[in-house]
Amino acid sequence: MTTGPLSTLRRIASTRPPPVTGERCDMCAEPIGSDHPHVVSLESRALMCTCRGCYLLFTDQEAQLRYRAVPDRYLSFPGFTTDRGQWEELQIPVGLAFLFHNSVQDRTIAFYPGPAGATESELPLGAWERILAANPALDVLLPDVEALLVRHVDGQPVCHLVPVDACYELVGRLRQLWRGFDGGSEAHEAMDAFFAGVEARSRPVSERP
Ligand SMILES: [Zn+2]
Ligand SMILES: [Zn+2]
């Protein structure tokens, strides 16, 4: 491979699609607005843009279907705690990771935004179970369609549950903005804006709707 991060960035910049207009449902081709729901293909993990009608076909999280609707809930976990060892096990390079459970492969995966989009790694064996044991509230996480956003704020671990399409959106934006090793100021501003949005939309996990 001769492609360094810079040529990758250039390639991504030059092949970036124009601003979306006239989007259509990936399932039935019905025209949809820019603020539309998504469905995940369990096999490929691809996100599909859908109309409301197609989305509603896949909202049953228990059904034996190839697709799952991505919910739109955001939760915070005020009591979230990890000890230093557990946090280090996550090996988060730029202080931010998304964790999600892949039900097809039955494994928990962490992904870290970066210059190439996202770096994916399987969590060390048992790491997830140890964090879950210390934080039973995290058990509400749905496989495939929701992710836990974990990061350090002023030295404290902070955790939110976010829809998986929101993660992809952030990763895509960061790929466009990323400069150098740590991302540079624009990437960090995009992350800060994303966190502020997540904070604003989240309700504490113990609260019932
Ligand atoms: Zn449709
Ligand atoms: Zn979409």
Side-chain angles (χ1 to χ4, degrees), residues 129-175:
E129 284 72 16
R130 284 188 284 280
I131 290 173
L132 200 57
N135 301 276
L138 299 181
D139 201 34
V140 296
L141 177 75
L142 292 171
D144 308 303
V145 291
E146 292 180 328
L148 294 173
L149 166 64
V150 292
R151 63 194 174 108
H152 256 174
V153 180
D154 303 327
Q156 292 299 313
V158 174
C159 179
H160 286 88
L161 181 150
V162 298
V164 83
D165 52 359
C167 308
Y168 283 121
E169 203 185 300
L170 177 67
V171 167
R173 204 176 318 143
L174 291 179
R175 186 174 56 194

Side-chain angles (χ1 to χ4, degrees), residues 97-113:
F98 294 110
L99 310 179
F100 71 99
H101 190 76
N102 181 319
S103 68
V104 173
Q105 299 173 0
D106 191 24
R107 57 186 192 135
T108 302
I109 294 159
F111 71 115
Y112 317 104

Side-chain angles (χ1 to χ4, degrees), residues 11 16 28 33 39 43 47 63 65-66 76 85 92 111 117-118 123 131 135 142 154 168 172 185 199 202 205 208:
R11 180 170 50 77
R16 195 190 309 161
C28 73
V39 157
E43 277 302 328
L47 269 187
L65 298 169
R66 291 167 54 213
S76 60
I92 298 175
F111 71 115
L123 291 187
I131 290 173
N135 301 276
L142 292 171
D154 303 327
Y168 283 121
S185 60
E199 292 276 2
S202 292
V205 69
R208 289 283 160 256

Side-chain angles (χ1 to χ4, degrees), residues 12-126:
I12 290 161
S14 62
T15 57
R16 195 190 309 161
V20 261
T21 46
E23 275 193 86
R24 289 178 175 275
C25 174
D26 287 332
M27 294 192 149
C28 73
E30 183 92 359
I32 50 176
S34 58
D35 187 20
H36 51 260
H38 293 108
V39 157
V40 171
S41 160
L42 294 188
E43 277 302 328
S44 70
R45 289 199 284 128
L47 269 187
M48 303 174 75
C49 302
T50 57
C51 69
R52 200 76 206 163
C54 289
Y55 174 82
L56 290 173
L57 296 175
F58 302 103
T59 50
D60 182 353
Q61 300 290 335
E62 305 294 320
Q64 298 294 311
L65 298 169
R66 291 167 54 213
Y67 302 99
R68 283 267 188 286
V70 179
D72 63 358
R73 65 175 178 169
Y74 288 73
L75 299 175
S76 60
F77 299 90
F80 181 66
T81 165
T82 58
D83 63 32
R84 195 174 184 82
Q86 286 168 341
W87 184 264
E88 277 165 8
E89 261 188 330
L90 296 177
Q91 298 175 328
I92 298 175
V94 286
L96 150 72
F98 294 110
L99 310 179
F100 71 99
H101 190 76
N102 181 319
S103 68
V104 173
Q105 299 173 0
D106 191 24
R107 57 186 192 135
T108 302
I109 294 159
F111 71 115
Y112 317 104
T119 307
E120 200 177 286
S121 73
E122 195 166 353
L123 291 187
L125 206 66

